[in-house]
């Protein structure tokens, strides 16, 4: 990155930055990205893990937002069916609840229309009996019926990684654990680049670029402060918390979007033998790097679950894991956290720093398009070439190269058979194929060439692949963002954390001090996820 002037340097390796990197590279810009933590370590690994159209924004009359992100769901799915999958969502209609039968029926119909939903995925309205049949745990006393419609479930961190990998495969440069510490300017205070420091080695480099985009999410205003351009509109961070329960405690069959007693809406979603529940929506002003889950957050969600599923009798002790993330929203005076718009906005400072803030995971591709349109126009106006329009709606992401969603089922079947012929169990072959998509061939190559990976391939294949192909630099990168295990298989993390730590120490030649630091970091994250109450 430091060897030549870039067309575009992006600061912030979440889904927004990754999307901008891919779009810019596809159009022919020389683009690079730096991320001070791991890729997706901020907001982009801490969402509700849904590529959803935001049904509740209809209520706020955010018609354009609903139409745009609604259409995006199908595009994100088609370009990466291995990380995104259609998920039927049940919206129970409760006496005295937020949504009545008529308004729900009309609202979902409008939602389907705005989002251009396929015929076989359009909403249906259910009777009380049909709703109970879909999910027997629902409370019966106030239930009037339900709405049934499609959303899309994703692995947010893996989606970010696959976008990033596709950009890199096309020639872009990406690096994690490198912090944009300061900016460099010409005599007219026009931004020329960034002084960046490698947080793993301490090396500092000057990275020069014709254009710099600040896509740092919750840290966007921090960069605007460094640039001296934080004026006018600013970010208001809101916190969202999710709790994970084992299916033995919360045996949910069906994804549910339901009312809470205070009128907010919460998701409950079954995944990998667990059920996760979220999210809260409260203003946040603490440490941006590690927002905690408070006792109030836990009580709120457990109370909400027991209100809608009274037979459960959930308690805080039933929580197996949890996560907390921050939404970087644009401040609007007098509005509550839930009322703040999820629309994105672009700010351009006098120095030329371009900041993108706000927005939703689902709309990442359109946000990127708007930013790259702006960058390309400016570069062309300054004497550069003319750049083509955005085509990322048709760009298949890394791991998605098997012929689209129509071919996915057959592809998985074929690769599972191949894996079992190599000696893997059907279960492991399927799990890995579904996680890595067409990149499974690289894992199978590791299995063929590295005989020692045959001992516990469920651990070794993702770890070796992650280090070689996904820039895994610490045990936390592996257990949290490359596998999601800290959230959905926390016992597995406890079982293998020492093995992974020792292997990575040997692989990266860590000093004793470094090895201790990474071990302690993961131990702290495990403690926070599983024992958040004791931290209050």
């Amino acid at each position: 990155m430091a060897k030549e002037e870039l067309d575009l340097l992006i600061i912030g390796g979440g889904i927004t930055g990754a999307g901008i990197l891919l779009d810019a590279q596809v159009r022919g810009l020389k683009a690079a990205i730096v991320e001070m933590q791991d890729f997706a370590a901020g907001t982009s690994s801490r969402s509700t893990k849904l590529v959803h159209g935001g049904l509740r924004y209809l209520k706020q009359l955010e018609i354009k937002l609903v139409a745009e992100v609604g259409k995006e769901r199908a595009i994100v799915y088609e370009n990466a069916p291995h990380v995104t999958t259609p998920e039927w969502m049940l919206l129970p209609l409760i006496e005295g609840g937020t949504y009545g039968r008529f308004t729900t029926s009309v609202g979902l119909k409008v939602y389907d229309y705005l989002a251009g939903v396929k015929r076989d995925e359009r909403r249906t309205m259910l009777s009380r009996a049909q709703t109970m049949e879909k999910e027997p745990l629902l409370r019966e006393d106030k239930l009037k019926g339900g709405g049934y419609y499609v959303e899309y479930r994703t692995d947010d961190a893996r989606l970010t990684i696959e976008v990033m990998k596709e950009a890199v495969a096309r020639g872009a440069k990406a690096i994690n654990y490198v912090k944009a510490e300061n900016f460099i300017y010409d005599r007219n205070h026009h931004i020329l680049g960034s002084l960046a420091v490698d947080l793993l080695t301490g090396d500092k480099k000057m990275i020069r670029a014709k254009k710099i985009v600040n896509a740092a999410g919750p840290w966007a205003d921090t960069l605007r402060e460094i640039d001296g351009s934080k004026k006018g509109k600013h970010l208001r961070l809101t916190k969202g918390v999710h709790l994970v329960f084992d299916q033995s405690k919360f045996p949910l069959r069906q994804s549910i979007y339901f009312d809470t007693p205070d009128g907010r809406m919460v998701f409950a979603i079954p995944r990998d033998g667990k059920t996760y529940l979220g999210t809260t929506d409260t203003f946040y002003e603490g440490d941006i790097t590690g927002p905690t889950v408070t006792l109030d957050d836990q009580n709120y969600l457990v109370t909400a679950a027991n209100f809608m599923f009274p037979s459960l009798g959930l308690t805080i002790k039933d929580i197996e894991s949890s996560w907390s993330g921050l939404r970087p929203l644009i401040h609007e005076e007098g509005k509550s956290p839930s009322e703040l718009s999820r629309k994105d906005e672009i700010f351009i400072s006098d120095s030329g720093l371009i900041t993108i803030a706000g927005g939703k995971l689902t709309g990442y591709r359109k946000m990127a398009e708007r930013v790259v349109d702006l960058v390309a126009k400016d570069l062309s106006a300054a004497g550069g070439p003319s750049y083509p329009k955005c085509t990322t709606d048709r760009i298949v992401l890394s791991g998605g190269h098997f012929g689209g969603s129509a071919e996915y089922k057959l592809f998985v079947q074929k690769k599972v058979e191949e894996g079992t012929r190599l000696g893997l169990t059907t279960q492991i072959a399927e799990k890995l194929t579904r996680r890595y998509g067409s990149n499974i061939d690289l894992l199978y190559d590791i299995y063929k060439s590295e005989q020692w990976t045959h001992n516990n391939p469920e651990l070794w294949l993702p770890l070796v692949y992650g280090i070689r192909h996904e820039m895994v630099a610490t045990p936390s990168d592996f257990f949290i963002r490359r596998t999601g295990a800290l959230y959905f298989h926390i016992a597995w993390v406890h079982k293998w954390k020492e093995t992974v730590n020792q292997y990575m120490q040997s692989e990266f030649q860590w000093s004793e001090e470094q090895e201790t630091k990474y071990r302690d970091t993961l131990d702290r994250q495990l403690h926070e996820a599983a024992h958040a109450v004791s931290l209050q």
Side-chain angles (χ1 to χ4, degrees), residues 40 167 193 257 278 312 320 365 434 488:
Y257 186 40
L312 288 179
E320 197 169 89
R365 204 190 58 78
R434 289 189 179 279
F488 297 103

Side-chain angles (χ1 to χ4, degrees), residues 157-176:
R158 288 218 57 82
L159 177 62
T160 304
I161 294 288
E162 300 295 30
V163 175
M164 197 83 72
K165 281 158 63 186
E166 188 59 36
V168 169
R170 291 167 177 269
K173 293 181 173 66
I175 192 164
N176 51 2

